[in-house]
Amino acid sequence: MIPPQEASARRREIEDKLKQEEETLSFIRDSLEKSDQLTKNMVSILSSFESRLMKLENSIIPVHKQTENLQRLQENVEKTLSCLDHVISYYHVASDTEKIIREGPTGRLEEYLGSMAKIQKAVEYFQDNSPDSPELNKVKLLFERGKESLESEFRSLMTRHSKVVSPVLILDLISGDDDLEVQEDVVLEHLPESVLQDVIRISRWLVEYGRNQDFMNVYYQIRSSQLDRSIKGLKEHFRKSSSSSGVPYSPAIPNKRKDTPTKKPVKRPGTIRKAQNLLKQYSQHGLDGKKGGSNLIPLEGREDMLDVETDAYIHCVSAFVKLAQSEYQLLTDIIPEHHQKKTFDSLIQDALDGLMLEGENIVSAARKAIIRHDFSTVLTVFPILRHLKQTKPEFDQVLQGTAASTKNKLPGLITSMETIGAKALEDFADNIKNDPDKEYNMPKDGTVHELTSNAILFLQQLLDFQETAGAMLASQETSSSATSYSSEFSRRLLSTYICKVLGNLQLNLLSKSKVYEDPALSAIFLHNNYNYILKSLEKSELIQLVAVTQKTAERSYREHIEQQIQTYQRSWLKVTDYIADKSLPVFQPGVKLRDKERQMIKERFKGFNDGLEELCKIQKAWAIPDTEQRDKIRQAQKNIVKETYGAFLHRYGSVPFTKNPEKYIKYRVEQVGDMIDRLFDTSA
């Protein structure tokens, strides 16, 4: 059982909790009543607000719809007014732009093109909307007048500002590739930059809006004239420079280094000058020939003129390539792409035809020179042909895209030059072989014949053009190998040709030597010519070229020279035979000579004296230009004669064969040697 005290405490605790719960319940009930009241108030307010919104909406929506309609009407009005203004503006284009079009585009191209754009739009509008209106005709006429003014401005700009390129600048341009000292590229400014931009804008407008290609014809005609005149000016520069100073030159590029101006000598790529200088060198060593005895026209005389003409043409060819490249670069900025190749083809025709015509004239002159046997003129073909073949890759690149007839012009000229060159080589060899034996033309002193010096000079000239000459010969070969000949094949052909010329020359010299009645003079003549040929071969690269097909050529010439020396020495036998041991009688010392024996000794002395004097008198007038050979022959002959005469004099000088010994013993041994030392010396 629970004690009464605990039960009482328990009851009081429960009563207290119950009282608290009742108080809480009462608070919740009061709160709910207040919340219900607030809810009712809010619902009432919202109902009132909804009612007012509905009233407002019913009032605003009609107003909004009216405003929207008014805005749409306003926009339509504005658009209509704008269109009307736009259309009306087309009717004013003619009057607004007429003054500008009438005054032309000069100095105001931007404004002018803007006016032309307005006129173009007006034309398009009237064509689409009012094709029968008088306004269309008016703006059309104005457009055509404006287009004509632009075409005229294009022509005027091109004419006024296209200048001939000066020869000095062209030479700088040509030499720029080879001049390692010049680091800056030579740039040609055909048109000032501002003018170029105007020309480009006009050309683009004419293509896009003018539907006109006539300006392209104007362009190529003007530029073609400038290109042609530039090349002709370079040629004239060579002529004037050569006549005033002898050597054309190119000063340094203007304004490049004002404080250190220089002069660049123009390179002469292989003229006949080198061979002539070689000949002069040989002349200083006593190897030169004398005039006479050849129907070949000497290579000296017109070389200066030929050099200038050759140099001028070669440099004009190089100038054409460089200027044509520059013209094409200019053209690509001005002419539409699909018209560039055709326009360029037309542009270069006059200058190219001029070069080709001059080249054909050179071929024609060479052909006439061959008939006259003037091979100095023919030699001009060689440096020109070599330069054309060297320049051909650049030519082909420049002419890319041009007509086939344009591309084939240079190959045609090269073929013509190769043909005439081969003809010249063939005729030269034949002329060497068939040069007539004219007694009055033979050198009286037996020196080197002009035929020999001319032949060697011609062959030496070929050294500078070995590949070119070999190609000429190969081009005439009918064998299949000639179609793709190698440099070695070409070199062998040239070697064979040179050997042929030397063989023909040797045969002709043998024939000419028979003109001399004296076999000794004939031998001296052949000796001089053979020696000249051998020394000339050795002093140049000809000996190596000959050795390609004839290994023993040098030894053969030495044998021929020695053979002629021996032939010459036999001329002294008629002198030495008088005093030779084999025909001398033996005398016993102290035995008195018989009259017959004394007479025989007298005859021997007299025969020797007369023969010696006669030979010395005759051979003194003969010539051996080569000092070394002259001394060698004199010394050999002196040794033979002195030895024989010394022995004879020793044996009979003291024999009493005459009462007047000074009459027969006219010369001492030393005197005989001195007389022989004066042989081949017309000045002694």
Side-chain angles (χ1 to χ4, degrees), residues 293-294 296 431-432 435 449-455 505 508 512:
S294 173
L296 296 171
N431 273 277
I432 293 296
D435 187 67
H449 198 281
E450 188 180 15
L451 175 69
T452 303
S453 60
N454 278 347
L505 177 60
N508 199 316
K512 290 183 184 303

Side-chain angles (χ1 to χ4, degrees), residues 170 202 240 297 316 385 418 469 473 619 650:
I170 295 175
I202 294 174
K240 289 181 179 178
I297 298 177
C316 285
L385 177 58
E418 282 192 329
L473 296 168
Q619 295 183 9
H650 177 72

Side-chain angles (χ1 to χ4, degrees), residues 48 109 186 199 256 267 312 440 508 543 546 552 558 674 682:
S48 175
L109 182 61
V186 181
V199 168
K256 178 178 288 188
K267 297 179 181 179
Y440 60 87
N508 199 316
I543 194 67
V546 169
T552 62
R558 294 193 187 283
D674 292 341
T682 56

Side-chain angles (χ1 to χ4, degrees), residues 398-415:
V398 169
L399 301 184
Q400 229 174 7
T402 58
S405 58
T406 302
K407 294 178 182 176
N408 292 334
K409 287 180 180 180
L410 181 64
L413 178 59
I414 288 175
T415 300

Side-chain angles (χ1 to χ4, degrees), residues 577-645:
D577 277 352
Y578 281 106
I579 56 175
D581 287 341
K582 61 183 179 180
S583 60
L584 294 176
V586 180
F587 300 100
Q588 297 296 328
V591 178
K592 187 178 181 180
L593 297 177
R594 297 191 295 262
D595 291 342
K596 183 178 180 182
E597 292 171 339
R598 288 196 297 271
Q599 186 61 34
M600 182 189 69
I601 295 173
K602 291 178 181 179
E603 289 176 356
R604 295 302 176 90
F605 269 108
K606 186 177 186 305
F608 172 78
N609 293 334
D610 291 346
L612 176 66
E613 292 169 357
E614 181 184 2
L615 280 185
C616 287
K617 180 181 179 181
I618 293 173
Q619 295 183 9
K620 177 184 176 182
W622 297 354
I624 299 179
D626 188 340
T627 306
E628 182 182 348
Q629 286 291 312
R630 182 167 66 237
D631 293 343
K632 175 184 174 182
I633 292 173
R634 281 174 176 171
Q635 189 61 42
Q637 198 59 54
K638 184 167 65 173
N639 291 341
I640 295 171
V641 177
K642 284 178 66 176
E643 181 181 353
T644 306
Y645 182 64

Side-chain angles (χ1 to χ4, degrees), residues 226-402:
Q226 301 303 327
L227 175 62
D228 191 41
R229 289 169 60 194
S230 296
I231 294 176
K232 288 178 179 176
L234 177 63
K235 185 177 180 181
E236 189 62 27
H237 171 75
F238 267 80
R239 289 176 176 168
K240 289 181 179 178
S241 298
S242 62
S243 62
S244 61
S245 62
V247 179
Y249 65 87
S250 165
I253 301 171
N255 300 325
K256 178 178 288 188
R257 288 183 286 270
K258 294 182 179 179
D259 55 334
T260 56
T262 59
K263 292 183 179 180
K264 303 178 194 172
V266 174
K267 297 179 181 179
R268 297 195 167 198
T271 60
I272 63 174
R273 178 78 62 190
K274 181 176 178 181
Q276 289 165 346
N277 289 338
L278 286 171
L279 183 60
K280 291 176 182 177
Q281 293 174 12
Y282 300 155
S283 176
Q284 293 171 359
H285 290 82
L287 292 177
D288 200 1
K290 293 185 178 179
K291 294 199 173 194
S294 173
N295 70 336
L296 296 171
I297 298 177
L299 298 180
E300 299 170 292
R302 297 191 312 279
E303 65 275 4
D304 289 338
M305 180 187 69
L306 294 175
D307 277 355
V308 171
E309 294 296 328
T310 301
D311 288 346
Y313 186 73
I314 286 174
H315 282 82
C316 285
V317 170
S318 295
F320 172 82
V321 173
K322 294 296 184 183
L323 292 177
Q325 290 172 341
S326 181
E327 286 291 345
Y328 189 76
Q329 291 173 356
L330 177 67
L331 177 143
T332 54
D333 292 331
I334 299 173
I335 304 299
E337 184 176 357
H338 53 289
H339 291 286
Q340 289 173 2
K341 295 295 184 182
K342 182 179 178 181
T343 304
F344 180 70
D345 196 344
S346 301
L347 188 155
I348 62 174
Q349 284 304 313
D350 286 349
L352 182 59
D353 286 344
L355 285 177
M356 295 303 107
L357 177 61
E358 191 170 350
E360 290 298 339
N361 289 339
I362 291 171
V363 172
S364 178
R367 189 175 292 112
K368 294 175 182 177
I370 291 173
I371 297 174
R372 301 192 310 269
H373 308 307
D374 178 8
F375 294 98
S376 61
T377 301
V378 179
L379 284 174
T380 60
V381 172
F382 286 76
I384 292 173
L385 177 58
R386 181 176 67 180
H387 187 70
L388 289 180
K389 295 178 80 171
Q390 290 173 344
T391 314
K392 187 176 182 298
E394 287 186 271
F395 244 100
D396 293 341
Q397 186 177 5
V398 169
L399 301 184
Q400 229 174 7
T402 58

